Amino acid sequence: MIVKQHLIFILYSLCANVFKGSQGQFPITQNVTVVEGGTANMTCRVDYNDNTSLQWSNPAQQTLFFGDKKALRDHRIELVRASWQELTIRIGDVSLSDEGQYTCSLFTMPVKTTKAFLTVLGVPGRPEITGFTKPAMEGDVITLTCTTSGSKPAAIIRWFRNDKEVHGTKEINATGKSFTVRSSLQFQVDRRDDGIAYTCSVEHVSLSNPYMTTEVLEVHYAPQLEIIHSLIIPQEGQYFKLECVSIGNPKPEPVMWSKDGGELPDIERMIVEGRELTITTLNKTDNGTYRCEASNPLGTSSAEYVLFVYDPNALGQHGPDHALIGGVVAVVVFITLCLIIVLGRYLARHKGTYLTHEAKGAEDAPDADTAIINAEGNHVHAEEKKEYFI
């Protein structure tokens, strides 16, 4: 009886081990993502193994390693670890062509297999901007194109005008397993675009930081001039300066000064240094129209300033006496208000007297004519007025 129970226990243990082994005889793998040029580790594990070999195969079903035995002559593929429970291989310098579904096989009866997908990210090339015409002329329409190739998946291109993002048109073309991406900006340039930096930024999942390329736009435009004067009210004897401020690209040179359509009359007092005209000591003979003129290959521009020199004795050391002028204006306003008040009171008084005389005696008068005759001050001539009104 004891022997029978022992045999049953042994059979039960054997069945349990077989069942347990069959449950653990499935290889386990994981999908792998790697950047092009990087290294991919492919691992296959099995929980229970009864001395059965593991094998890795590539997407073309070529055996890479059978246990610790290398089957494919590829120097990029190396063995990392080989045991009854694990087979790990390393693929170095991964290319886009390595992407695909890899198979781990466990040679039981029947053979059990598990798939692992190797994803290879194509790194985009550094962006290149074309279409810059140096220099561009004001009013020209130009097209800037940014191109990057070799990305997988397709890269994202963004444009910036200085620090502000602007939007262009995008085009994506497949080249084998990778993509070429282009983005274009088209606009009409003016003088405000001179010196503006246009930046193309390429973003991709394989990049920790975007790739960027920048070009600075140069725009040529005709000159524009303005004269700035050093004194608001020029007076005799003062030092006076005129500056001809110009914008233009190329820079307008040289600056020519003239007075009243002719040359400067007094070169000893009127000194020209670059864009500045200085009159060392002003006098009345300096009155007139001063003109500066400058040119570049795109045109000529000029600006004018009319100078009037004041007499400091008549005007005061610091110009007109504004306090005096204000006082005179206040006195005139006050006198005008007083006249209006006096005239108003005079008119009101005389109008009241007329109405009072007319009203006296009106209570007992039979009609309007009699009321006027009976008014105060008219009694002496009552008979005459009575005859007149009859």
Side-chain angles (χ1 to χ4, degrees):
M1 185 69 180
I2 296 175
V3 173
K4 184 178 179 181
Q5 290 178 346
H6 183 69
L7 289 174
I8 292 172
F9 177 77
I10 292 173
L11 291 173
Y12 175 80
S13 299
L14 289 174
C15 291
N17 287 334
V18 170
F19 178 77
K20 186 177 181 182
S22 63
Q23 290 296 312
Q25 292 289 82
F26 287 95
I28 301 171
T29 60
Q30 288 184 332
N31 294 332
V32 177
T33 299
V34 64
V35 174
E36 184 180 16
T39 300
N41 284 349
M42 310 290 294
T43 298
C44 179
R45 290 188 178 90
V46 61
D47 290 336
Y48 304 100
N49 193 349
D50 52 356
N51 298 335
T52 303
S53 297
L54 292 169
Q55 172 186 291
W56 269 114
S57 302
N58 65 15
Q61 294 304 310
Q62 296 172 315
T63 301
L64 303 178
F65 269 89
F66 184 80
D68 59 355
K69 302 296 189 295
K70 186 173 183 178
L72 185 67
R73 292 183 178 179
D74 188 337
H75 68 278
R76 300 179 304 124
I77 303 175
E78 300 174 348
L79 179 65
V80 176
R81 184 177 295 107
S83 68
W84 297 118
Q85 283 77 37
E86 178 182 339
L87 178 59
T88 300
I89 63 173
R90 178 184 295 123
I91 305 174
D93 193 19
V94 176
S95 66
L96 294 178
S97 62
D98 293 320
E99 184 176 85
Q101 189 167 263
Y102 288 72
T103 304
C104 177
S105 302
L106 178 63
F107 282 87
T108 58
M109 293 299 292
V111 176
K112 297 182 178 66
T113 61
T114 303
K115 307 292 184 180
F117 199 91
L118 175 62
T119 301
V120 182
L121 302 177
V123 181
R126 292 195 172 272
E128 185 177 329
I129 299 177
T130 58
F132 263 90
T133 302
K134 290 189 176 182
M137 300 298 171
E138 186 174 28
D140 287 352
V141 176
I142 65 174
T143 301
L144 305 181
T145 301
C146 179
T147 305
T148 180
S149 58
S151 61
K152 178 184 168 295
I156 297 173
I157 292 180
R158 299 171 66 191
W159 281 101
F160 294 90
R161 184 181 187 271
N162 283 346
D163 295 327
K164 184 178 180 181
E165 185 173 1
V166 291
H167 299 285
T169 58
K170 185 172 66 174
E171 176 187 348
I172 301 176
N173 295 310
T175 307
K177 288 190 174 184
S178 64
F179 297 90
T180 298
V181 184
R182 293 183 179 86
S183 181
S184 298
L185 284 177
Q186 187 177 73
F187 55 94
Q188 185 175 33
V189 298
D190 60 28
R191 60 189 60 193
R192 292 173 297 180
D193 290 309
D194 186 39
I196 295 296
Y198 284 87
T199 300
C200 171
S201 173
V202 173
E203 300 175 359
H204 193 260
V205 64
S206 65
L207 302 176
S208 56
N209 294 303
Y211 285 157
M212 292 187 179
T213 298
T214 299
E215 293 283 355
V216 178
L217 188 61
E218 181 183 357
V219 180
H220 282 192
Y221 54 95
Q224 182 178 339
L225 275 60
E226 178 186 4
I227 294 179
I228 298 177
H229 47 91
S230 62
L231 297 174
I232 297 176
I233 302 176
Q235 301 176 40
E236 285 185 293
Q238 288 185 324
Y239 179 91
F240 186 63
K241 181 185 291 186
L242 296 175
E243 181 182 0
C244 187
V245 179
S246 63
I247 59 172
N249 193 13
K251 190 173 182 179
E253 294 287 0
V255 173
M256 306 298 296
W257 284 96
S258 62
K259 180 191 177 203
D260 296 329
E263 296 181 354
L264 298 176
D266 191 342
I267 59 175
E268 293 184 358
R269 288 188 308 109
M270 299 180 177
I271 302 171
V272 176
E273 293 180 346
R275 299 174 179 275
E276 295 181 350
L277 168 60
T278 301
I279 303 177
T280 56
T281 308
L282 286 174
N283 60 49
K284 289 288 187 179
T285 62
D286 297 326
N287 290 342
T289 300
Y290 291 79
R291 176 188 178 95
C292 70
E293 183 176 296
S295 303
N296 69 8
L298 280 78
T300 300
S301 181
S302 63
E304 292 183 347
Y305 172 79
V306 177
L307 173 63
F308 183 82
V309 180
Y310 292 85
D311 184 353
N313 296 322
L315 192 60
Q317 185 63 28
H318 301 288
D321 191 340
H322 298 288
L324 179 61
I325 295 174
V328 172
V329 172
V331 170
V332 172
V333 172
F334 177 75
I335 294 174
T336 303
L337 290 175
C338 291
L339 289 175
I340 292 174
I341 294 171
V342 171
L343 180 61
R345 294 183 63 182
Y346 175 80
L347 292 175
R349 184 181 302 162
H350 283 71
K351 181 177 181 180
T353 302
Y354 171 76
L355 292 175
T356 302
H357 284 300
E358 185 181 64
K360 288 182 178 180
E363 294 180 356
D364 300 328
D367 53 36
D369 293 338
T370 306
I372 294 173
I373 295 172
N374 291 340
E376 184 179 352
N378 291 323
H379 295 293
V380 178
H381 303 288
E383 293 299 326
E384 295 178 5
K385 288 183 180 180
K386 188 176 181 181
E387 292 177 1
Y388 173 78
F389 285 107
I390 292 173

